[in-house]
């Protein structure tokens, strides 16, 4: 089946009780047992819930994986993945990874004896040099937030396989509509479904999908034991959001292409980061790996005061953290999403005080362009 057909149908079935076409919100914590040890496969809702299961099966189908698991946030999904490993294990991580991922790794998991090396995974020489005998996993984010650096998933998967390590890709920015890491050789995919997958900024959630069936039991064990599950209402909202993922992404991206063209070369802006720009160094990789360019744009202006001034003048774009919703958002990574990254690291990664990130929504493009024009002053 095609992507949109799977998005609308995979993992879903008419409700056996009423024939309801949409998977119901099974808002229950427990299930009746007809006799001791006799039940319909559901005993307690932390372990299994039909609404969550529909979402998990749906995301596994879209990512072309064997098993999916839904969590209460993207961070909970990443934490569940990391629970497969143990003290002394070493991990290679994309240098410009999301600030919350960096915080989980550096401030929490390090205390349990996990070791991390942050490298520019877009360069294979960097990557190869970072492996150690105890390297268990490469954790790649592509494109990165907010610098939009791409990593060649197929090339990294090959290197990881040669070194006997697993590969996980954070696919939040690209979505399975645009990029399917498991088909390119990754072992796991994680998502903050809070972003494009749900797409309506009304739910926080995360999904982890494994390519191989052998991970189903260990990951279900972790999900059930640690218990950071996605609730039935959020599972249902996310399932509903996914049905329009393809049409939303098409519109997000067509708006983003026009905005990037407007900003590029604009004298009121210093530099623009968008993989679709004609001179973007990784444009070809974006095309071959994602078939498109996404809808996040970063641009820089002189300094924090100028950035603050611009941010105060937006009327359609809302100043807020997060991204990937139908509404356009603007954020200041250094002060907002990446405040947990130390200033010297931010500087090295290019997350300067004059950097502004746009999450381009699906409003009318004329209104978005007029808003940016007005904000730039
Ligand atoms: C790329 C990426 N991964 C993971 C996360 C964490 O997801 P959540 O906020 O749902 O916990 C985020 C959040 O912004 C993100 O941008």
């Amino acid at each position: 089946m095609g992507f949109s057909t799977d998005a609308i149908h995979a993992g879903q079935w008419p409700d056996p009780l009423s024939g309801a076409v949409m998977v119901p919100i099974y808002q229950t914590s427990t299930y009746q047992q007809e006799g001791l040890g006799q039940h319909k496969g559901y005993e307690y809702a932390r372990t299994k819930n039909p609404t969550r299961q529909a979402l998990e099966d749906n995301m596994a189908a879209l990512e072309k994986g064997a098993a999916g698991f839904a969590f209460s946030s993207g961070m909970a999904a990443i934490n569940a993945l990391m629970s497969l490993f143990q003290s002394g294990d070493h991990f290679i991580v994309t240098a410009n990874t999301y600030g919350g991922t960096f915080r989980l790794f550096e401030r929490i998991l390090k205390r349990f004896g996990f070791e991390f090396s942050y490298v520019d995974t877009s360069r294979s020489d960097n990557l190869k040099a970072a492996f150690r005998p105890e390297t268990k996993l490469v954790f790649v984010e592509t494109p990165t937030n907010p610098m939009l650096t791409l990593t060649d998933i197929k090339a990294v998967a090959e290197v990881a396989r040669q070194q006997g390590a697993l590969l996980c890709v954070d696919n939040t920015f690209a979505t399975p509509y645009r990029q399917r890491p498991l088909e390119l050789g990754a072992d796991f995919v994680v998502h903050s479904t809070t972003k494009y997958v749900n797409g309506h900024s009304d739910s926080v959630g995360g999904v982890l999908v494994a390519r191989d069936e052998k991970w189903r039991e260990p990951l279900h064990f972790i999900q059930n034991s640690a218990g950071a599950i996605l609730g039935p209402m959020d599972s249902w909202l996310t399932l509903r959001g996914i049905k329009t993922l393809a049409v939303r992404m098409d519109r997000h991206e067509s708006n983003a292409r026009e905005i990037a063209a407007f900003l590029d070369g604009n004298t009121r802006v210093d530099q623009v980061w968008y993989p679709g720009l004609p001179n973007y160094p990784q444009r070809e990789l974006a095309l071959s790996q994602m078939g498109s360019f996404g809808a996040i744009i970063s641009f820089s202006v002189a300094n924090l005061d100028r950035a603050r001034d611009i941010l105060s003048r937006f009327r359609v774009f809302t100043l807020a953290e997060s991204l990937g919703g139908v509404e356009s958002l603007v954020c200041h990574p250094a002060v907002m999403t990446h405040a947990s990254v130390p200033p010297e690291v931010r500087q090295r990664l290019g997350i300067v005080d004059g950097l502004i990130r746009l999450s381009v929504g699906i409003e009318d493009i004329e209104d978005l362009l007029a808003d940016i024009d007005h904000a730039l002053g």
Side-chain angles (χ1 to χ4, degrees):
M1 295 286 177
F3 183 88
S4 290
T5 310
D6 274 345
I8 293 166
H9 297 288
Q12 295 160 78
W13 21 259
D15 179 44
L17 181 68
S18 65
V21 169
M22 290 300 139
V23 175
I25 306 166
Y26 282 90
Q27 195 73 42
T28 186
S29 61
T30 190
Y31 310 88
Q32 184 209 15
Q33 305 203 0
E34 287 131 24
L36 206 51
Q38 283 176 276
H39 52 76
K40 297 185 169 73
Y42 299 92
E43 294 164 271
Y44 186 59
R46 170 161 35 75
T47 314
K48 212 167 163 190
N49 174 284
T51 320
R52 192 178 86 223
Q53 196 181 344
L55 170 64
E56 294 175 334
D57 292 349
N58 181 265
M59 280 298 286
L62 296 184
E63 286 287 5
K64 307 290 180 201
F69 302 89
F71 296 90
S72 52
S73 68
M75 290 319 305
I78 295 172
N79 196 43
L81 169 78
M82 300 307 285
S83 303
L84 286 172
F85 303 99
Q86 57 194 31
S87 172
D89 287 348
H90 171 249
F91 306 87
I92 299 173
V93 183
T94 300
N96 172 211
T97 197
Y98 166 63
T101 306
F102 181 80
R103 180 173 54 198
L104 171 70
F105 291 174
E106 284 300 292
R107 306 270 304 273
I108 298 182
L109 296 182
K110 249 183 156 171
R111 289 197 272 119
F112 295 94
F114 286 43
E115 293 183 31
F116 298 94
S117 299
Y118 299 90
V119 305
D120 178 357
T121 48
S122 69
R123 292 188 34 202
S124 63
D125 49 340
N126 278 351
L127 182 69
K128 282 182 187 150
F131 277 92
R132 301 182 195 165
E134 57 278 15
T135 305
K136 292 291 178 344
L137 176 85
V138 181
F139 187 95
V140 162
E141 198 179 307
T142 179
T144 59
N145 174 17
M147 302 315 298
L148 301 163
T149 307
L150 276 77
T151 290
D152 184 335
I153 298 172
K154 211 172 179 177
V156 173
E158 183 56 29
V159 175
R161 199 186 53 76
Q162 282 163 7
Q163 302 280 344
L166 297 162
L167 171 63
C168 177
V169 175
D170 185 330
N171 205 22
T172 299
F173 268 43
T175 85
Y177 178 52
R178 285 301 182 209
Q179 177 169 278
R180 283 182 292 281
L182 304 184
E183 290 187 325
L184 300 173
D187 299 280
F188 305 101
V189 164
V190 286
H191 277 278
S192 168
T193 56
T194 317
K195 311 298 182 318
Y196 291 107
V197 167
N198 177 58
H200 293 73
S201 303
D202 50 14
S203 160
V204 172
V207 160
L208 167 61
V209 179
R211 187 182 57 190
D212 200 297
E213 183 62 32
K214 74 176 179 194
W215 296 109
R216 184 186 294 278
E217 274 318 304
L219 288 173
H220 184 247
F221 180 79
I222 290 168
Q223 184 191 40
N224 187 40
S225 304
I229 48 156
L230 190 64
M233 180 73 195
D234 286 287
S235 297
W236 183 85
L237 280 170
T238 308
L239 263 180
R240 186 171 72 159
I242 290 171
K243 291 179 198 295
T244 56
L245 179 59
V247 287
R248 281 188 286 111
M249 284 312 288
D250 286 343
R251 172 68 171 246
H252 278 295
E253 290 181 337
S254 75
N255 279 355
R257 278 194 294 271
E258 291 208 34
I259 291 173
F262 174 80
L263 290 172
D264 192 34
N266 192 310
T267 51
R268 294 169 289 172
V269 165
D270 287 349
Q271 198 179 338
V272 184
W273 289 264
Y274 181 66
L277 290 174
N279 54 355
Y280 199 78
Q282 293 181 304
R283 191 175 195 276
E284 286 313 308
L285 177 59
L287 272 178
S288 68
Q289 191 162 276
M290 298 165 60
S292 189
F293 309 112
I296 304 295
I297 301 169
S298 293
F299 66 93
S300 62
V301 292
N303 52 39
L304 183 58
D305 284 345
R306 169 86 174 119
R308 189 177 277 124
D309 184 45
I310 291 171
L311 292 172
S312 71
R313 274 199 299 268
F314 279 106
R315 296 288 173 265
V316 181
F317 279 81
T318 303
L319 178 64
E321 296 208 5
S322 202
L323 57 101
V326 289
E327 71 295 326
S328 292
L329 299 179
V330 58
C331 104
H332 186 272
V335 172
M336 297 166 74
T337 50
H338 287 64
S340 54
V341 178
E344 64 282 4
V345 179
R346 282 205 305 265
Q347 203 66 30
R348 188 160 14 96
L349 296 173
I351 308 172
V352 292
D353 287 350
L355 191 76
I356 292 174
R357 185 192 76 190
L358 303 177
S359 169
V360 178
I362 63 171
E363 300 95 334
D364 291 301
I365 185 62
E366 299 76 18
D367 294 329
L368 298 181
L369 288 171
D371 197 39
I372 294 170
D373 190 38
H374 171 75
L376 290 176

